[in-house]
Amino acid sequence: MNYKIALIRGDGIGPEVVGEAVKVLNAVGEKFGHTFTYEDVLLGGCATDAVGKSYPDGTAEKCKACDAVLLGAVGGPKWGSDKPAEQRPETALLAIRKDLGLYANLRPAALRPAMADACPLKKETAEKGIDLMMVRELTGGIYFGKRDKYETEDRGLEATDLMAYSEKEIERIGRRAFELARLRRKKVSSVDKANVLETSRLWRSVMHRLAEEYSDVQYEDVLVDNCAMQLVRDPGQFDVVVTENMFGDILSDEASMVTGSIGLLPSASIGDTAPGLYEPIHGSAPDIAGQDKANPIATILSVAMMFRYSFQLPAEADAVEQAVDAVLADGWRTADIAEPGVTPIGTKQMGDLICAKIKG
Ligand code: IPM
Ligand code: MG
């Protein structure tokens, strides 16, 4: 088969990690008999520098002409919150999520076998294993609600951000979570703040309806503050965790830290139609950009998710994941995950080693 992939290389270390992921795509293509063609798409701070805005006209259309999108990372201090919205990389990220209808953000947080010692939690806790899938609603809630800033008569400046959710939005993300749980350990933990928020009470009632429909899946409600605590107390209890946009933003960072290796974690953002968007969960790390120091594994594992969720190629996905685990088991480490006394390797060498394992 031939697949067309949009590459958003982005800012900071983005171009380097995407470069290695492309090598891996080509290695898989060679081994399994697929061809991948690539279309570069400009988005992020680099787009602001090139054309004056972070989300150039026609970006969504270019991506829609492809089967999947691979994104490195965008952002950096150069395009900070003091800049107008259309120049900020974050604006572009939110816009592409919305324009491609990517309402489901899947962020697996798993302790890879060779990296168990990187887990910052107690040994007994790590030994139980961590393998959870955070399912974050990505195109609704406070991120996309009405916002305003205005002068008041007696309180000075005031600002407001509105969190709104419709039943429809909640149901479609809920279904994704239950369907995923069926393919995993059959447990859904739905996270909300129903003791305070009206949106959360609606969220909970829709989830309960779905829980009845998916009666083969174990279901629980977890309040968001408790979830934050449980993630560091006993993350092994979670299988699929489903939650709204901002809670998911915060909890997915926490979950990634618990695995001890943010440089290893991929993500998928998908909607009801192609293309899905795949990206590492780490940022653009401008401090190490261009130095061959970045860890390309999260982006490479994002390619595995692309195979699994966009192309329905599970054997290819397994091959990538097994190659990563084999290289880690051999003891190879980039600087971010190197144990004391281990000499780290660079971005390119890590990519080459993984390709070599894939080609066998
Ligand atoms: C993420 C990031 C983004 C978000 C920012 C960069 C807008 O933190 O993907 O988690 O909040 O969604
Ligand atoms: Mg975030």
Side-chain angles (χ1 to χ4, degrees):
M1 275 284 281
N2 177 51
Y3 300 91
K4 193 169 170 195
I5 299 170
L7 299 179
I8 300 177
R9 297 174 195 266
D11 309 317
I13 59 171
E16 291 165 82
V17 293
V18 169
E20 298 314 302
V22 167
K23 281 198 220 160
V24 166
L25 277 158
N26 292 337
V28 169
E30 235 175 81
K31 166 116 184 174
F32 290 84
H34 307 296
T35 51
F36 299 106
T37 51
Y38 307 102
E39 161 99 14
D40 263 289
V41 174
L42 195 61
L43 181 149
C46 54
T48 300
D49 287 350
V51 302
K53 42 187 172 181
S54 61
Y55 192 61
D57 301 339
T59 301
E61 291 66 30
K62 271 190 197 159
C63 292
K64 282 181 190 167
C66 296
D67 300 304
V69 183
L70 182 66
L71 189 152
V74 297
K78 194 175 164 193
W79 312 281
S81 50
D82 53 322
K83 294 282 184 313
E86 73 273 11
Q87 294 179 16
R88 292 202 300 266
E90 293 77 13
T91 309
L93 261 188
L94 299 194
I96 194 156
R97 288 172 181 170
K98 195 74 170 178
D99 287 349
L100 298 182
L102 307 173
Y103 64 83
N105 182 217
L106 316 185
R107 296 187 169 184
L111 206 55
R112 305 205 86 79
M115 297 298 301
D117 288 344
C119 175
L121 304 182
K122 281 201 191 120
K123 207 165 185 291
E124 311 87 85
T125 312
E127 272 164 2
K128 284 204 246 164
I130 304 172
D131 181 9
L132 66 90
M133 177 69 88
M134 188 75 68
V135 178
R136 168 188 175 192
E137 201 290 326
L138 201 60
T139 54
I142 198 164
Y143 272 60
F144 293 92
K146 224 172 119 193
R147 53 185 105 261
D148 203 3
K149 191 165 100 183
Y150 46 88
E151 194 71 56
T152 62
E153 259 172 32
D154 49 350
R155 300 181 306 280
L157 267 180
E158 198 168 276
T160 161
D161 297 276
L162 187 73
M163 162 137 59
Y165 267 108
S166 68
E167 268 184 298
K168 262 197 177 144
E169 285 175 308
I170 300 167
E171 181 171 339
R172 65 183 183 179
I173 190 74
R175 282 196 187 281
R176 287 279 179 167
F178 279 98
E179 295 289 342
L180 274 168
R182 276 188 170 160
L183 303 172
R184 296 172 47 100
R185 301 195 307 279
K186 295 199 171 178
K187 179 176 176 192
V188 168
S189 307
S190 167
V191 177
D192 63 36
K193 188 71 184 172
N195 51 352
V196 178
L197 302 177
E198 201 57 50
T199 41
S200 282
R201 287 189 279 273
L202 180 64
W203 179 280
R204 198 175 268 209
S205 71
V206 174
M207 290 295 165
H208 284 190
R209 210 165 66 216
L210 291 175
E212 270 179 39
E213 188 183 324
Y214 292 84
S215 55
D216 54 319
V217 176
Q218 192 192 334
Y219 175 85
E220 65 178 358
D221 299 307
V222 187
L223 289 171
V224 63
D225 46 352
N226 184 30
C227 182
M229 188 174 78
Q230 296 301 332
L231 276 172
V232 289
R233 197 186 68 83
D234 178 23
Q237 69 184 286
F238 293 117
D239 177 18
V240 172
V241 178
V242 62
T243 191
E244 67 88 35
N245 204 344
M246 188 164 67
F247 295 163
D249 177 46
I250 298 166
L251 294 176
S252 63
D253 267 28
E254 188 189 4
S256 71
M257 205 51 229
V258 160
T259 70
S261 37
I262 191 160
L264 299 185
L265 299 181
S267 78
S269 302
I270 51 190
D272 290 327
T273 52
L277 182 147
Y278 299 83
E279 61 179 317
I281 71 158
H282 60 68
S284 60
D287 52 318
I288 57 162
Q291 299 171 35
D292 194 42
K293 281 188 184 160
N295 186 349
I297 293 180
T299 314
I300 289 168
L301 290 172
S302 300
V303 165
M305 290 190 90
M306 181 187 291
F307 289 146
R308 211 179 286 289
Y309 297 108
S310 274
F311 302 160
Q312 277 70 50
L313 297 174
E316 286 79 345
D318 288 346
V320 173
E321 286 163 0
Q322 282 161 14
V324 167
D325 283 332
V327 168
L328 290 174
D330 288 347
W332 299 104
R333 300 284 186 273
T334 44
D336 57 310
I337 53 170
E339 297 88 353
V342 173
T343 310
I345 59 169
T347 312
K348 291 190 177 121
Q349 195 182 347
M350 182 56 93
D352 289 338
L353 287 164
I354 294 167
C355 288
K357 291 278 184 199
I358 289 169
K359 290 179 187 162

